[in-house]
Amino acid sequence: GALTDSCESITSASNGDVFAAGSFNTSANFETISKASQGGFDAWFGKVNTGQVVTSRWSWVTTAGGSSDDFGACIDTDGTSVFGCGWFTGTATFGSSQMQAIGQYDSLITKMSSSGGIPNTAQAGATGGIVRIFDMIEDAGTVYATGHLAGTANFDTHQASSSNNGQDRSVFVAALGSNSQWSWATAAVG
């Protein structure tokens, strides 16, 4: 689009499929696929065709967001599903589901089908605080995510807290099970 667009992550599957993630402001054109943001920045996740003869390099692009700024930060695949991560503010839409951020920035991991549909999204947030996932990997059905947090973050029923009574930013690692529920979360504080 005419304003700031970004690609923050790219990965490939063993079969040669390539997936990318990022953010766009207002509108973006992925060759023949046009997307409009719901307000401010929205996250995008897409599949890139790598074959020799293709009509368009983009197979599909899925967007997520709301009226505030929302960002796509990382992407991974297990060869069947595609997992996108990022963070959002306010109320944001992921597929047919809406989520309300608990804190200033909440993190998300959204599970997408091989065609870009979003069957479910997991959320982590800290009341009045920040949770930002910057990277993740998928291994045997579990997605491991890392980033930073400020405050006490809720990963479903699991909590991780930053140091200095929530005033400092601390590193976290968390595991998301194949049921899209957080299995555990821990923080490294200093």
Side-chain angles (χ1 to χ4, degrees), residues 38 46 84 125 136:
Q38 298 179 46
M136 67 177 176

Side-chain angles (χ1 to χ4, degrees), residues 36-61:
S37 73
Q38 298 179 46
F41 285 92
D42 275 5
W44 65 265
F45 307 99
K47 180 180 177 185
V48 181
N49 289 317
T50 59
Q52 292 291 330
V53 180
V54 295
T55 305
S56 173
R57 286 282 171 208
W58 294 92
S59 288
W60 53 261
V61 175

Side-chain angles (χ1 to χ4, degrees), residues 83 111 119-122 141-143 156 175-183:
F83 304 91
K111 181 178 181 180
N120 50 50
T121 300
T142 299
V143 176
D156 292 329
L176 184 69
S178 59
N179 61 354
S180 293
Q181 299 292 310
W182 294 102
S183 304

Side-chain angles (χ1 to χ4, degrees), residues 59-144:
S59 288
W60 53 261
V61 175
T62 297
T63 61
S67 60
S68 298
D69 289 339
D70 314 293
F71 301 94
C74 55
I75 196 160
D76 200 6
T77 183
D78 63 5
T80 303
S81 298
V82 180
F83 304 91
C85 83
W87 53 88
F88 68 100
T89 58
T91 302
T93 301
F94 307 94
S96 60
S97 301
Q98 275 196 335
M99 291 185 170
Q100 177 66 44
I102 299 166
Q104 295 172 359
Y105 282 102
D106 279 19
S107 274
L108 66 100
I109 294 181
T110 189
K111 181 178 181 180
M112 294 166 277
S113 67
S114 60
S115 61
I118 299 178
N120 50 50
T121 300
Q123 173 181 4
T127 303
I130 295 170
V131 179
R132 288 186 177 162
I133 295 174
F134 287 107
D135 201 8
M136 67 177 176
I137 59 168
E138 187 280 336
D139 183 51
T142 299
V143 176
Y144 298 95

